[in-house]
Amino acid sequence: MRILLLTRSFNSLSQRLYLDLTALGHAVSVELDIADAVTIEAVALFKPALIVAPYLTRAIPESIWRQTVCLIVHPGVVGDRGPSALDWAIAEGEREWGVTVLQAVAALDAGPVWAAETFALREATKSSIYRQEVTAAASRAVVAAVRHFEAQGSALPAADWPGARGRPRRAMTQADRRIAWARDGTQAVLRALRAADGSPGVLDALFDTPCHLFDGHAQPLHHRHEPGLVIARRGDALLRTTIDGAVWIGHVRRADGAGHFKRPAALAFPAQSAELPIWPGALDAQAGAAGASDIRLEVEAETVYLHFNFHNGAMSATQCESLNAALRQALALPQRVLVLLGGADFWCNGIHLNVIEAADSPADESWHNITAMNDLTRTLIEANDRIVVAAMQGNAGAGGVFMALAADQVWARRGVVLNPHYKNMGNLYGSEYWTYLLPRRLRAGSVDTVMNRRLPLDAEQALPLGLVDAVFGASPPAFIAEVRQRATELARDADLPALLRAKRNRRDADEARMPLSSYREAEEVRMRRNFYGFDPSYHIARANFVHRVPASWTPRHLAIHRQTPPAPPAPPTAAQSDPDQVTGGSGSQPAG
Ligand code: COA
């Protein structure tokens, strides 16, 4: 079938569904929901048998849904309606939640139901639930709905759906989200922050400045403090007291002027943060605070696990340096298997574009960041006395994918989505030794296809290409359990000494053919041009991305209906004139 994915942005959920529907053999094209006239034009051009809408913030034009069945993916249980479905579910402490695939009709979220799935609602942020449970449930439900549609099935009114229990709910406002610091305990504060995570955040104030708060983590305190005070800092996170403990605030978006965007909390308030005492804690401390303990070393008898979990998978220069230091510490240990475990939502999305945008000189900070990222990648490549495993529980993009390829083995959770290309970020050339790592790994396909196709791949597709070596585990806990088992088996493998010898020989031979430093120099020449050259495409694309500027056109590589007749070659410069080279804003927030 021809299926049109109509979505506000080609976000992680849309990418997952794109891959699922393509794998079923359908011809899938994407149109970003920009304006009714553009959507109507896309439908006329593509003539889809079915429209699937994973993420919309407004209604589909009536002329479209009357003519073509439109399946809306709603992140709520059957009967739930409204644009703040997940926000209410988290705020009200639901134990079980779901995803409903319903048909578009005149009233929002009120159409008959084609498929529905439920899941246990974890105590986690909205973004994390969206990227894990909602995405997995939506994937199952959309596949079921599409199969049902193909088999000429029909939809059921929500009221007739077995177990329907949802109800219409209004949009959640900032008044609903407000934290009463003088009254709220840590759990209530966390719940408010989690329900608003990603977007829009909780409108509050720090240092008497209005700002939106994100990325909250609990911190028990031994002494009582007056609630609402910011009492310490660790990394870039700030510690604020509640009536029964404290919460770390990892990220904020200031609301005291135009042009502000989300950034690590201490960077948003540098002068005030510098005055705060540093919260003590060691590298291997068990905690979950943003920016505070996001790197952790776990040492077992035969294996070492290096956990890192950076907000949104973005790695600033400082974070790369900290991870490199922890990596060196791990490499000094005698165990012969080292497993790098990224976060459950993201493995890594490359250099930290928000921190770069916030710098006095974004070009200099880009350079600083890519240098630190390359140093980290080199440490991985040169770790020649042990087997290094990159264990991807979560998605990876751009430099984050190539950093993983520096490991000897890449293991990925089933369903993980990879974006192994840089070009969407204003035609960035990319570094992280990709010119060395990618060709030596590819078992099928070409370097050009991987780098220039600019489409997502899932772990299953990446396997035959050689980008990953094993795919298993349907959920992060199942994946980690199997990672541990496989890592232990690897450490006990009688062939381990031979594997290590082969690894050293290969690296020596590679170095003799072309030194690592030469790959790096050549990549960095191109990156310097991206950062400091006359073409501002990268800087424009980064600013659009960081400021979440909505896309104003659909890139041609996604909209296959706009590829006939073939588009003329893209002009080489001026990012704004070439939609394919600009990453516009791509808000990924769940919508009803
Ligand atoms: N730096 C800073 N923030 C980043 C980031 C990066 N490299 N990559 C992702 N993020 C943030 C987004 O701003 C967003 O923030 P918010 O939801 O808190 O507002 C969040 O991570 C999720 O990103 P989003 O684009 O909504 O997620 P997705 O899963 O739909 O898409 C990617 C994933 C990787 C395709 C997309 O995030 C992307 O293109 N990232 C940039 C990759 C890149 O070019 N890196 C630089 C070159 S190495």
Side-chain angles (χ1 to χ4, degrees), residues 526-539:
R526 304 293 291 267
M527 291 298 264
R528 270 197 167 275
R529 212 175 292 160
N530 288 137
F531 300 155
Y532 296 102
F534 66 91
D535 178 356
S537 299
Y538 156 72
H539 296 290

Side-chain angles (χ1 to χ4, degrees), residues 10-12 15 131 198 262 311-312 314 346 349-354 395 397-399 419 422 425 428 432 545 548 586-589:
F10 196 46
N11 69 353
S12 52
Q15 295 189 5
R131 294 207 170 86
K262 193 184 296 181
H311 187 67
N312 286 338
F346 291 107
N349 282 328
I351 56 177
H352 201 314
L353 299 168
N354 292 48
N395 296 348
N419 276 280
Y422 298 87
M425 195 51 63
L428 203 60
E432 289 94 5
F545 180 82
R548 313 306 278 163
S586 58
S588 66
Q589 281 326 299

